[in-house]
């Protein structure tokens, strides 16, 4: 289906003519070194002016995406959803939310991206569906003990009349992980109550997800991002073991944790790999697994998903020793799995890193957001300098790099969203003590003015701050020193420079120096300036003078002298 020719004409100003190298779409190993751009569809671009991002908006901006120089786009969920959790409550895994578009438009988007050599990764949410999913509605109707209920985790409650939840398990979003239904049974949801957990012990559930993977792979999807991959299998032996708190420090690292990262989950992903390998080239996959670091390689094994997100760096302070250690550990884990590393600074769940790096180390980000970003004050110049430096460092590492929409514009967290604008279930479910993740999900600014800074012809579903104008795509496009042009330059170089697995670290005080195979290196100065070695400066996040001094909080890439 074609869009009417008049659609989106007024959104033209952001357009930029950047020639793109067309990539080889048959390469089975593309994901090992890919730069993947994460799109949060509801906040990327709005084609019909209703305030919600959609596929026509995305199709319109394919030139922008291709012009960035990325290898793939990862689409966060665009499926029909009641939006209890920003689309991670999926009501139908094989359709497009009518507010976002149609399957025909999805096909059009894939074709447009493929034509420019950009691959497509979709988000698969296998731990839970949305409560509007046909299966869950059937389960509610069918009653206790039915095969319909056996697709989810329904149990009788404790107490004389079953009035207490079956266990002390808690939801990630606050409160009990169990909700009672009118006939008295309870169902499990590790996230919002609108996100009932599937029972992955049930073969019907396993078969259904194989069907879903094939559905999208048949449509040309190149890979899958697997949501909460560590959560699918639980210890459901009764009486249920106690698990009153979800936290990294109670998570077991031997495959026997009650709720997460259990050994059985790998059988599920071995099944998935068999399905993904039915395709030529095989479809790629990356696990979102919040497991003990020592267990991350398991998800990335060649007969499983292939990759797993490394979130370690996200937790590190801006410090050379911490960064180097974290990077070396991640590289080592990937090597152990025969996988390749994945680098992440931001995503739709995290406070944007340009803000994180401008706050004192150890800042309690929840409290900071509750103060609307005033306590402590954010040093934006410092945060942006470090964000640019960190991005260049990540893009220079072996493996694949994930870029979250808006970070290429140097966006900060929108920390002052008014309470009554919040959409994230975290806000309600935590009794208004945690603002949640909306500050990283505010619709992108494309132009300095207009009703929603060029996001669309109407408003934006989360309010955009006035300072978005300075970060608009059209503004940054025209500024050679902008963060947008820094990302473009780095991504273009990354595609040309030798991308082998090899990297070693040179010793340099208060800096990280990564020496890549093939004659180039990346140097990041943390707390103090550093003098660059000989070689052509290919790109730098801050100006390097004739004295070859790289200022503090900056990164440069150098070609080694011949
Ligand atoms: C993942 C998603 C997050 C979502 C959760 C539940 O962590 O990244 O946004 O809330 O899973 O699906
Ligand atoms: Ca729309």
């Amino acid at each position: 289906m074609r869009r009417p020719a008049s659609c989106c004409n007024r959104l033209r100003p952001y357009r930029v003519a950047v020639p793109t190298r067309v990539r080889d779409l048959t390469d089975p190993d593309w994901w090992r070194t890919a730069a993947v751009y994460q799109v949060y569809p509801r906040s990327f671009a709005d084609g019909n002016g209703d305030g919600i991002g959609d596929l026509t908006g995305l199709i319109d901006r394919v030139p922008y995406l291709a012009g960035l120089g990325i290898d793939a786009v990862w689409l966060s969920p665009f499926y029909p959803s009641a939006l209890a959790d920003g689309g991670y409550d999926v009501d139908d895994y094989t359709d497009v939310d009518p507010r976002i578009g149609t399957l025909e438009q999805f096909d059009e988007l894939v074709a447009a991206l493929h034509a420019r050599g950009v691959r497509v990764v979709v988000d698969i949410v296998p731990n839970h569906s949305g409560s509007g999913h046909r299966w869950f509605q059937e389960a509610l109707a069918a009653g206790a003990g039915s095969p319909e209920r056996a697709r989810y985790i329904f149990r009788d409650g404790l107490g004389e009349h079953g009035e207490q939840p079956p266990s002390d398990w808690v939801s990630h979003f606050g409160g009990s992980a169990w909700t009672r239904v009118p006939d008295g049974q309870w169902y499990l949801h590790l996230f919002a109550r609108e996100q009932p957990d599937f029972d992955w012990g049930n073969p019907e559930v396993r078969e259904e997800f194989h069907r879903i993977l094939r559905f999208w792979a048949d449509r040309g999807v190149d890979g899958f991002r697997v949501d909460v991959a560590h959560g699918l299998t639980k210890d459901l032996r009764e009486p249920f073991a106690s698990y009153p708190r979800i936290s990294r420090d109670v998570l077991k690292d031997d495959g026997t944790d009650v709720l997460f990262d259990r050994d059985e989950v790998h059988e599920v992903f071995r099944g998935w790999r068999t399905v993904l390998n039915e395709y030529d080239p095989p479809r790629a996959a990356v696990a979102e697994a919040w497991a003990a670091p020592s267990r991350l390689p398991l998800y990335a094994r060649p007969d499983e998903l292939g990759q797993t997100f490394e979130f370690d760096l996200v937790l590190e302070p801006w410090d050379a020793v911490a960064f180097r250690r974290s990077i070396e550990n991640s590289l080592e884990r990937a090597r152990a799995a025969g996988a390749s590393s994945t680098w992440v600074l931001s995503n739709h769940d995290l406070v944007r890193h340009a803000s994180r790096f401008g706050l004192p180390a150890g800042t309690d980000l929840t409290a900071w957001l509750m103060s609307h970003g005033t306590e402590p004050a954010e040093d934006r110049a410092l945060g942006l300098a470090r964000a640019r430096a960190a991005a260049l460092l990540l893009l220079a590492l072996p493996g694949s790099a994930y870029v979250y929409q808006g970070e290429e514009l140097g966006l900060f967290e929108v920390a002052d969203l008014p309470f009554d604008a919040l959409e994230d279930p975290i806000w309600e479910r935590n009794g208004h003590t945690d603002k949640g993740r909306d500050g990283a999900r505010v619709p992108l600014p494309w132009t300095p003015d207009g009703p929603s800074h060029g996001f669309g012809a109407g408003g934006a579903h989360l309010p955009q701050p006035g300072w978005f104008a300075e970060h608009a795509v059209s503004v940054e496009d025209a500024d050679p020193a902008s963060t947008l042009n820094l990302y473009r330059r780095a991504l273009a170089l990354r595609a040309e420079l030798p991308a082998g697995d090899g990297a070693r670290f040179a010793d340099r005080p208060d800096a990280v120096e990564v020496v890549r195979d093939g004659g180039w290196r990346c140097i990041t100065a943390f707390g103090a300036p550093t003098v660059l070695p000989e070689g052509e400066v290919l790109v730098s996040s801050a100006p390097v003078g004739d004295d070859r001094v790289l200022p503090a909080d900056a990164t440069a890439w150098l070609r080694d002298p011949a």
Side-chain angles (χ1 to χ4, degrees):
M1 198 182 81
R2 302 296 312 172
R3 283 165 303 139
S6 65
C7 167
C8 323
N9 275 346
R10 47 182 312 174
L11 303 178
R12 284 291 131 88
Y14 79 88
R15 278 196 188 289
V16 281
V18 185
T20 47
R21 201 172 49 90
V22 172
R23 294 167 169 79
D24 173 10
L25 290 177
T26 61
D27 175 6
D29 283 323
W30 67 273
W31 49 273
R32 290 184 178 272
T33 56
V36 184
Y37 183 86
Q38 181 189 356
V39 167
Y40 189 75
R42 286 180 179 79
S43 299
F44 185 71
D46 174 16
N48 66 357
D50 66 356
I52 299 171
D54 49 40
L55 294 182
T56 56
L58 254 161
I59 292 166
D60 193 56
R61 282 149 174 88
V62 164
Y64 174 77
L65 292 168
L68 282 173
I70 50 166
D71 301 288
V73 167
W74 148 30
L75 298 170
S76 276
F78 49 81
Y79 312 108
S81 164
L83 297 187
D85 180 20
Y88 284 89
D89 47 321
V90 179
D91 285 344
D92 182 347
Y93 289 88
T94 53
D95 205 350
V96 176
D97 191 302
R99 287 163 294 188
I100 292 190
T102 63
L103 279 172
E104 289 72 26
Q105 287 167 348
F106 180 85
D107 293 342
E108 195 186 335
L109 175 64
V110 172
L113 287 167
H114 281 175
R116 287 166 181 270
V118 180
R119 292 183 174 78
V120 180
V121 173
V122 300
D123 219 309
I124 287 290
V125 189
N127 181 66
H128 44 264
S129 70
S131 52
H133 192 284
R134 184 175 57 85
W135 273 12
F136 191 69
Q137 291 303 315
E138 286 174 3
L140 291 179
S146 61
E148 286 84 356
R149 282 210 175 169
R151 294 160 173 161
Y152 293 92
I153 302 169
F154 279 85
R155 295 293 185 273
D156 294 329
L158 302 178
E160 206 180 326
H161 308 289
E163 72 284 2
Q164 286 161 25
S167 74
D168 61 358
W169 299 352
V170 290
S171 146
H172 279 275
F173 293 155
S176 172
W178 296 94
T179 287
R180 200 170 194 195
V181 299
D183 62 31
Q185 276 211 307
W186 299 73
Y187 67 88
L188 180 72
H189 53 89
L190 290 184
F191 292 87
R193 68 169 67 87
E194 297 85 354
Q195 291 169 297
D197 282 37
F198 286 115
D199 185 346
W200 275 87
N202 183 337
E204 213 188 336
V205 171
R206 297 190 182 208
E207 272 313 306
E208 176 63 2
F209 272 86
H210 288 180
R211 184 184 76 83
I212 294 165
L213 292 173
R214 289 193 185 102
F215 178 88
W216 293 107
D218 286 343
R219 292 195 107 86
V221 159
D222 304 278
F224 298 90
R225 178 262 187 194
V226 185
D227 189 69
V228 195
H230 59 305
L232 312 195
T233 55
K234 289 114 185 156
D235 182 358
L236 295 178
R237 286 173 301 178
E238 295 184 46
F240 293 124
S242 172
Y243 206 90
R245 192 164 65 87
I246 297 176
S247 149
R248 280 209 150 192
D249 44 276
V250 299
L251 180 69
K252 288 207 186 142
D253 63 0
D254 60 0
T256 67
D257 193 79
V258 176
L259 294 182
F260 304 105
D261 185 38
R262 294 179 60 76
D263 281 335
E264 305 92 80
V265 82
H266 297 289
E267 196 190 306
V268 172
F269 295 132
R270 281 193 286 274
W272 285 31
R273 176 44 61 197
T274 309
V275 173
L276 301 176
N277 284 355
E278 289 166 5
Y279 293 85
D280 181 23
R283 300 319 192 219
V286 55
E288 183 218 25
W290 290 91
S294 61
R295 296 193 41 100
L296 288 176
L298 302 178
Y299 295 81
R301 287 180 286 196
D303 63 342
E304 294 196 27
L305 297 174
Q307 270 189 329
T308 179
F309 282 121
E310 281 286 353
F311 291 120
D312 250 26
L313 265 186
V314 160
L315 306 169
E316 296 299 349
W318 184 250
D319 172 79
V321 175
F323 262 63
R324 175 169 167 178
R325 192 186 44 222
S326 169
I327 292 168
E328 284 185 309
N329 288 341
S330 297
L331 288 171
E332 187 41 48
R333 282 196 285 271
R335 245 192 304 272
S340 78
S341 296
T342 58
W343 308 105
V344 182
L345 288 168
S346 277
N347 65 31
H348 64 296
D349 293 329
L350 301 168
V351 170
R352 284 192 179 275
H353 63 271
S355 289
R356 289 201 318 263
F357 289 143
L359 290 165
T363 297
D364 174 343
L365 295 170
T366 305
W368 178 72
L369 287 173
M370 286 302 288
S371 79
H372 294 312
T374 59
E375 283 295 321
E378 183 184 2
D379 182 339
R380 286 200 166 173
L382 183 67
L384 184 57
R386 290 175 173 177
R388 291 164 56 104
L392 275 197
L393 170 54
L394 251 69
L395 291 173
L397 296 172
S400 62
Y402 284 76
V403 173
Y404 176 52
Q405 69 174 43
E407 70 167 81
E408 82 281 18
L409 305 174
L411 289 189
F412 303 99
E413 181 81 0
V414 182
D416 59 354
L417 284 174
F419 293 141
D420 61 7
L422 298 175
E423 297 171 356
D424 192 342
I426 286 180
W427 172 243
E428 286 299 333
R429 298 229 50 192
N430 284 282
H432 301 177
T433 58
D434 184 342
K435 284 177 80 176
R437 303 160 293 179
D438 289 331
R441 301 176 178 183
V442 176
L444 290 190
W446 294 86
T447 54
D449 31 41
S452 51
H453 292 293
F455 167 65
H461 67 95
L462 285 166
Q464 298 158 306
W467 54 261
F468 260 33
E470 296 152 40
H471 295 263
V473 170
S474 67
V475 172
E476 295 210 13
D477 180 48
D479 173 5
S482 69
T483 302
L484 175 58
N485 283 319
L486 179 69
Y487 270 75
R488 286 176 177 154
R489 218 159 28 244
L491 285 161
L493 279 165
R494 179 186 158 94
E496 280 165 24
L497 290 165
D501 282 344
R504 59 187 180 79
F505 289 81
D507 286 321
R508 186 174 274 271
D510 213 10
V512 170
E513 178 166 354
V514 188
V515 183
R516 294 292 311 265
D517 288 353
W520 64 289
R521 66 188 63 215
C522 169
I523 299 174
T524 302
F526 280 75
T530 194
V531 179
L532 295 177
E534 274 182 47
E536 180 197 353
V537 177
L538 298 169
V539 61
S540 63
S541 68
V544 176
D546 290 341
D547 53 5
R548 299 189 66 82
V549 173
L550 179 70
D553 306 311
T555 295
W557 294 6
L558 293 140
R559 198 191 304 278
D560 294 338

